[in-house]
Amino acid sequence: MLIAAPLLALPVLALFAVLARRAAWSHAVVYGGAFLAAVALLAGGLDRLGGGGPTALTLPFGLPWLHAHFRVDNLSALFLVIVNIAAAAASVFAVGYGPHLPDQRRVTPFFPLFLFGMNAVLVADDAFMFLVSWEFMSLSSWLLVLSDHTRPETRKAAMVYLTMAVFGTFCLLPAFGLLAGAGGDFTFDAMRMKELAPASAFLVVLLALLGAGSKAGLVPLHAWLPLAHPAAPSHVSALMSGVMTKVALYGLIRILFDLHGEIGWQWGAVLMVVGGVTAVLGVLYAVMQDDLKVLLAYSTVENIGVVVIGLGLALAFKAGGEPALAALALVAGLYHALNHSVFKSLLFLGAGAVMSATGERSLGALGGLLKRLPWTGATFLVGAAAISALPPLNGFVSEWLILQSLFKGPTLPHWAMKFGVPVVGALLALAAALAAACFVRAYGVAFLGRPRTAAAAEADGNAVTLGMRLSLAALAALCVWLGAAPVTMTNALSEVVRPLTGIEVPVSADLGWPWLSPAGPSSGSYSGTILVAMGLLLCGLAVMLVHRLGTRALRVSDAWDCGHAEDIPQTQYTGHSFAQPMRRAFGATVFRARESVDMPEPGDDAPARHVVSMIDPVWDGLYRSLGRLVDFLADQVNRMQFLTVRRYLLMMFATLVIWLLVVAVRQQL
Amino acid sequence: MGQISYEVAHLLGATMLMAGFGLLYQRRLYAVLNTFAFQALALAAAAAWQAHVQHAPHLYVTAGIALVFKGMLVPFALHWLVERLGIHRSVDTALSIGWTMIVGVVLVALSILLVLPVTANAAALTRESLAVAMSVVLLGMLMMITRRNAVTQVVGFMALENGLLLAAVSAKGMPLVVEISVAFSVLIAMTLFGIFFFRIRERFDTLDLQYLETYRGDRQ
């Protein structure tokens, strides 16, 4: 009830948004309604997560021979929580943010529909409802991406996104078909019961990985993500990046851990490698970006990679006969999914606040915003620290747990895994370090230093309205809480993974609350709670001592100016200069980055220019050659339009004869 | 009775098949037309025999249609057309005669391989006739694609249609209306082909289809 009613209210809200689109107040009503629905769904999810077995519901609609099945188990409930935390925050944010949009009438009606689609995917319990909801989610978010359709790059992004969405569903459809088998029973219950033949078991995993992976943004299927996520309005970007990718992961987990019977350890290895490559490449892209939202989108790619490493490790442990370690890795992955949805929503909403205050999203045009936008600056700092995996925030806990479970890799029976797991661990560590560098750069260039443009210097703090501030602050507080009370979370998560791995993992069993000790009492333990408490205590002590002992005299003087007497903002570190060492170290191989100096002819008074050329290995290597192949095939097929009558007859004749031959040969067998 | 009816039906079917090979073998246009007329006569005889064997009087109508339209009207009309248009009277082949024959034999083998196992439960007569009919159809198609001249293509089409009719009369219980509609559609097709011959000849002074290619506007 707590889930069904708000779910049904969302399409009604969308209808209302269309009917009342002329009234200025309708947007606030719709977003308010979406907030209430999200809170109700969140409460429903938390309630279910608290205890009780799965609840199922069958409704008599959908396909004629198949009723619509819905079911909420712990996994669905967890993802309901993940989705609706961010949805509630984005709805509150949107009340104040909407009026800044070029035409919010193109955004408001689809926003509740998007929420509806994502939530419906989570509660679907048959393949038909799942795919319909999945497409609903894809298409409504596509329309949201397209809301600013006057810009050509948005249209391109939407086109690429639509293509990838279609590709994803195109892969998922046969995956479910194979899971259902010849009997054609599309309920998830029937799929759980079914034993798969080796060939179809292989194909199901491959197709699920391609289908859900393209939506989640796994390399090399991530190409749409950094185009489409930033093109949408910021509160939608927050949901697409923070939440929709999680719904894709939900699909992956549902198929791999729940519906599919047995999966070999090789698939775990594949997932780990894909995850590791995704994490490193994603953050390498991110660290070079100048556009704040594109940077955040690439960082999403990285975090999805981190989660997928956890999932792959869980698969490998499960197949290797270590259910407890599988549960640990899965808990770590799910924890990171939850955390990422919180801090990525926070960062995207922060980017939205920056955009509404300055109208800029290029790092090169920002700077010194902390003074003018203290709320946004402070909360963005929390988000940036969390995503950089700094203790005591939430990002640290989940990445630490994933690393801890990676350290257990050598207990796996296969030598490939014994040696491979540490490599993936190294990739993960590299990605985490680069992510920290990336966000030091993003935060430092955007919020610290001096303003680089007039837009940044005149940033309007009032444009960040109360609703926006509240939602930012709530998410930031959640980042701290998820980091400070990790044991509560891991206990809830181990309930979630129990049906998937067959075992409950008490991550804090050895040392008791509030200590996390996944690797046993002696080899590694962490307590966010104590860390936060001690930190607060020490900070308070330090502040008290400073105020007690320090002098109250106040002296205002110039900042140290590095010897530059003139006050030119251009002399500061820029985003490009900060990224240069990393571009030289990694970009030269990965992106074939080349630097050249473009000197004007003698006598020409144009300035000399530093030019950097980079090649996107995925886009140019994979997608362009794929495009060329399609063009080539189309050309070949095109020739068939200009044959003689006799040749056409010949083709028909040949086709007929070939099929007759096939029939004849099959008869002989 | 059973034995002799089977033998005669088999003989008539085989005659049609031989006529089909004959069509492929001829190098002269008039000979092609004569062979086609012969094949149609064999078809008429086969239909009449089936009418007699199956005690199905409506098949006599089919036989009559085959005799009048395909055995006489169509060959005479084509004769007249060829004479009237002064068409060059040799057959222009895209694939040499020898190779055409070889491919024809392969196609016959294929249809026998295909039809006999599929119809294992049917009567022997039907099985043989179906195999022969299918071979005739395939030979007609082969003729359409290996001959350049428009007249020979029309003849190939008609031969294909003969094969269909043979299949139709061999299977019991084929309603007359189907055969009549087939016969009429063939007549209409014949008329259309005739008109097109005149139009093509008027414009391009040839019936060789490869000259038409150069006039196609949609070539890039």
Side-chain angles (χ1 to χ4, degrees), chain A residues 285-662:
Chain A
Y285 281 115
V287 85
M288 319 239 172
Q289 300 306 320
D290 184 53
D291 185 320
L292 190 54
K293 286 178 79 174
V294 178
L295 182 150
L296 292 175
Y298 271 121
S299 143
T300 295
V301 175
E302 179 233 335
N303 282 279
I304 292 300
V306 172
V307 177
V308 168
I309 290 177
L311 297 185
L313 194 62
L315 272 184
F317 278 134
K318 195 178 168 192
E322 298 268 11
L325 291 176
L328 172 64
L330 200 53
V331 162
L334 290 175
Y335 203 164
H336 197 68
L338 170 65
N339 289 339
H340 178 247
S341 82
V342 174
F343 53 62
K344 188 48 63 70
S345 308
L346 168 60
L347 291 171
F348 258 115
L349 295 181
V354 168
M355 274 176 73
S356 58
T358 63
E360 288 285 348
R361 55 189 232 193
S362 160
L363 285 178
L366 298 172
L369 290 180
L370 186 57
K371 275 222 175 79
R372 305 196 65 95
L373 309 172
W375 277 80
T376 313
T379 49
F380 200 94
L381 178 63
V382 174
I387 203 170
S388 311
L390 294 185
L393 296 169
N394 55 353
F396 172 77
V397 184
S398 47
E399 287 205 21
W400 181 79
L401 279 176
I402 291 180
L403 277 172
Q404 287 292 333
S405 41
L406 279 170
F407 290 150
K408 294 285 188 183
T411 56
L412 280 166
H414 318 284
W415 281 101
M417 293 301 271
K418 280 185 201 293
F419 288 112
V421 167
V423 175
V424 175
L427 286 178
L428 177 60
L430 175 64
L434 284 172
C438 174
F439 279 91
V440 165
R441 164 177 179 263
Y443 190 82
V445 174
F447 286 91
L448 305 180
R450 289 197 301 263
R452 291 181 177 75
T453 57
E458 289 152 18
D460 178 13
N462 293 327
V464 185
T465 56
L466 182 65
M468 294 158 83
R469 289 179 196 178
L470 278 182
S471 85
L472 289 173
L475 286 172
L478 207 54
C479 278
V480 177
W481 185 79
L482 284 172
V487 179
T488 320
M489 278 321 294
T490 51
N491 286 344
L493 288 172
S494 65
E495 280 293 318
V496 172
V497 303
R498 189 172 48 178
L500 306 178
T501 55
I503 197 165
E504 192 176 356
V505 55
V507 183
S508 59
D510 296 316
L511 295 173
W513 194 90
W515 290 94
L516 283 182
S517 50
S522 56
S523 58
S525 55
Y526 169 72
S527 171
T529 321
I530 292 178
L531 198 62
V532 169
M534 287 305 291
L536 285 177
L537 193 70
L538 288 175
C539 279
L541 215 63
V543 167
M544 213 174 69
L545 284 177
V546 165
H547 276 268
R548 185 63 53 83
L549 302 178
T551 166
R552 296 206 172 270
L554 196 66
R555 184 168 62 99
V556 177
S557 83
D558 290 334
W560 181 61
D561 55 6
C562 300
H564 289 282
E566 280 182 83
D567 187 16
I568 309 170
Q570 276 73 22
T571 54
Q572 305 176 90
Y573 252 87
T574 63
H576 289 297
S577 56
F578 196 94
Q580 192 200 37
M582 279 167 277
R583 192 179 66 225
R584 286 192 176 160
F586 298 102
T589 30
V590 180
F591 303 111
R592 272 182 277 163
R594 298 284 176 271
E595 296 170 16
S596 59
V597 182
D598 191 11
M599 285 298 268
E601 294 290 310
D604 187 354
D605 59 356
R609 288 193 173 280
H610 231 39
V611 183
V612 178
S613 73
M614 285 204 271
I615 295 170
D616 184 338
V618 175
W619 189 260
D620 292 290
L622 183 66
Y623 288 87
R624 280 208 202 289
S625 31
L626 212 60
R628 274 197 294 274
L629 179 69
V630 170
D631 273 351
F632 173 76
L633 289 179
D635 275 350
Q636 298 302 308
V637 173
N638 193 28
R639 284 190 195 174
M640 286 172 51
Q641 288 205 2
F642 306 105
L643 298 179
T644 62
V645 179
R646 213 167 47 73
R647 290 248 164 84
Y648 282 128
L649 286 174
L650 178 65
M651 269 156 58
M652 286 191 244
F653 183 67
T655 315
L656 177 66
V657 169
I658 287 171
W659 281 116
L660 290 178
L661 272 175
V662 169

Side-chain angles (χ1 to χ4, degrees), chain A residues 124-321:
Chain A
D125 194 36
D126 63 62
F128 181 73
M129 282 316 292
F130 183 93
L131 285 174
V132 167
S133 315
W134 183 277
E135 278 299 271
F136 210 89
M137 169 179 90
S138 300
L139 290 181
S140 50
S141 57
W142 175 68
L143 287 166
L144 287 168
V145 167
L146 208 49
S147 65
D148 187 13
H149 63 85
T150 46
R151 298 177 351 140
E153 57 264 46
T154 305
R155 290 200 296 271
K156 183 195 169 204
M159 189 67 210
V160 174
Y161 176 38
L162 190 64
T163 312
M164 292 304 277
V166 169
F167 171 77
T169 315
F170 180 75
C171 290
L172 282 181
L173 196 63
F176 280 119
L178 286 171
L179 276 171
D185 193 347
F186 284 98
T187 57
F188 283 175
D189 270 335
M191 292 178 188
R192 282 185 196 103
M193 296 297 141
K194 207 167 167 59
E195 286 288 319
L196 288 171
S200 38
F202 174 84
L203 276 179
V204 164
V205 183
L206 182 69
L207 289 170
L209 197 56
L210 287 175
S214 72
K215 181 63 92 195
L218 288 179
V219 171
L221 301 170
H222 69 283
W224 63 275
L225 197 147
L227 295 173
H229 286 186
S234 288
H235 59 295
V236 178
S237 313
L239 287 186
M240 287 180 76
S241 222
V243 175
M244 193 174 69
T245 52
K246 305 304 173 304
V247 176
L249 288 177
Y250 164 81
L252 194 64
I253 296 171
R254 179 63 80 191
I255 294 178
L256 295 190
F257 287 87
D258 189 12
L259 303 182
H260 200 294
E262 293 291 318
I263 296 181
W265 62 271
Q266 294 92 342
W267 278 114
V270 169
L271 247 71
M272 287 175 72
V273 170
V274 169
V277 170
T278 302
V280 172
L281 263 187
V283 75
L284 274 180
Y285 281 115
V287 85
M288 319 239 172
Q289 300 306 320
D290 184 53
D291 185 320
L292 190 54
K293 286 178 79 174
V294 178
L295 182 150
L296 292 175
Y298 271 121
S299 143
T300 295
V301 175
E302 179 233 335
N303 282 279
I304 292 300
V306 172
V307 177
V308 168
I309 290 177
L311 297 185
L313 194 62
L315 272 184
F317 278 134
K318 195 178 168 192

